[in-house]
Amino acid sequence: MIHTVTQKLESLYTYVRCLLVDYSKAFDTINHAILFRKILTLSIPSTVKRFIFHFLTGRSQAVHSGGRMSDWLLVTRSIIQGSGIGPSLYLVYSMDLKTASNFNKLVKYADDTALLVPQYSSVSLEDEYQNLLYWSTVNKLKINTDKTKEIVFRRPGALHFISPASLPGIEQIISVKLFTARCTSA
């Protein structure tokens, strides 16, 4: 992502808009039927497909609260985030999420999605966001607008820079932590 932004700013663009998309409970809301259809399109061995289907189907859960237990219900949504296969299944789920323009770029890492739209693009950030909303609706995912943010990266030293208006309902921020790491010393 940083490479793409830097490359654009070193060329003719004064700024690149970046939409950092947050999906509400992304791993918990993956629809199994939609995921299975997408897995069927992959050119992977049928044994791997069967393993994934068996891993996700036939599971049920109940809730125990206040000394009472609910009925057992089949689990038809969610992938296990902490499992080794969970992030890969999310990537399969989102593999058909594309930008509306080749000028723009999506960067995906597990359930994190960033949309990059340079200053001069055939499709605006507003239209790309509508494309994202449409894809999300079709795939039964909900964008958390409270946690979705926009940051505008600009060329250093750009004189009289005026930041583009933010997307309605999306906060425009001036700094962001893209990756976090916890370091400890002995």
Side-chain angles (χ1 to χ4, degrees):
M1 185 172 101
I2 294 169
H3 173 74
T4 300
V5 169
T6 303
Q7 190 177 40
K8 300 284 187 198
L9 293 178
E10 286 176 346
S11 61
L12 66 127
Y13 303 105
T14 303
Y15 63 84
V16 176
R17 296 176 77 178
C18 176
L19 186 66
L20 302 161
V21 180
D22 183 85
Y23 283 102
S24 297
K25 301 183 186 280
F27 281 82
D28 296 336
T29 57
I30 295 295
N31 181 287
H32 289 177
I34 294 171
L35 176 61
F36 293 163
R37 281 194 303 272
K38 293 178 183 197
I39 290 171
L40 287 172
T41 68
L42 299 176
S43 56
I44 58 175
S46 59
T47 54
V48 174
K49 291 176 186 178
R50 280 196 305 274
F51 168 79
I52 295 169
F53 296 156
H54 289 302
F55 180 73
L56 293 174
T57 56
R59 297 181 183 274
S60 57
Q61 71 178 27
V63 176
H64 189 268
S65 176
R68 298 182 51 128
M69 182 125 92
S70 70
D71 292 334
W72 287 90
L73 297 173
L74 279 177
V75 176
T76 60
R77 296 184 313 165
S78 89
I79 50 180
I80 302 164
Q81 185 170 1
S83 69
I85 198 170
S88 296
L89 292 177
Y90 185 85
L91 290 176
V92 168
Y93 200 81
S94 67
M95 70 184 175
D96 59 343
L97 173 58
K98 309 275 188 224
T99 58
S101 168
N102 290 333
F103 286 101
N104 304 330
K105 183 171 179 123
L106 275 171
V107 179
K108 303 177 211 173
Y109 180 78
D111 66 333
D112 294 326
T113 303
L115 172 62
L116 300 171
V117 178
Q119 179 182 12
Y120 305 113
S121 175
S122 58
V123 177
S124 68
L125 181 67
E126 292 77 9
D127 290 339
E128 286 286 8
Y129 184 55
Q130 289 306 311
N131 179 52
L132 241 147
L133 288 170
Y134 175 76
W135 180 90
S136 301
T137 300
V138 167
N139 287 278
K140 300 183 181 192
L141 291 176
K142 185 175 188 271
I143 293 177
N144 182 345
T145 54
D146 290 337
K147 290 185 176 180
T148 295
K149 306 293 181 197
E150 179 190 359
I151 186 166
V152 179
F153 296 102
R154 65 184 178 95
R155 185 183 301 160
L159 297 175
H160 310 293
F161 176 78
I162 298 173
S163 189
S166 62
L167 290 171
I170 304 295
E171 181 184 7
Q172 204 172 72
I173 57 177
I174 60 170
S175 68
V176 63
K177 188 181 284 189
L178 295 176
F179 303 102
T180 59
R182 185 177 184 158
C183 300
T184 57
S185 60

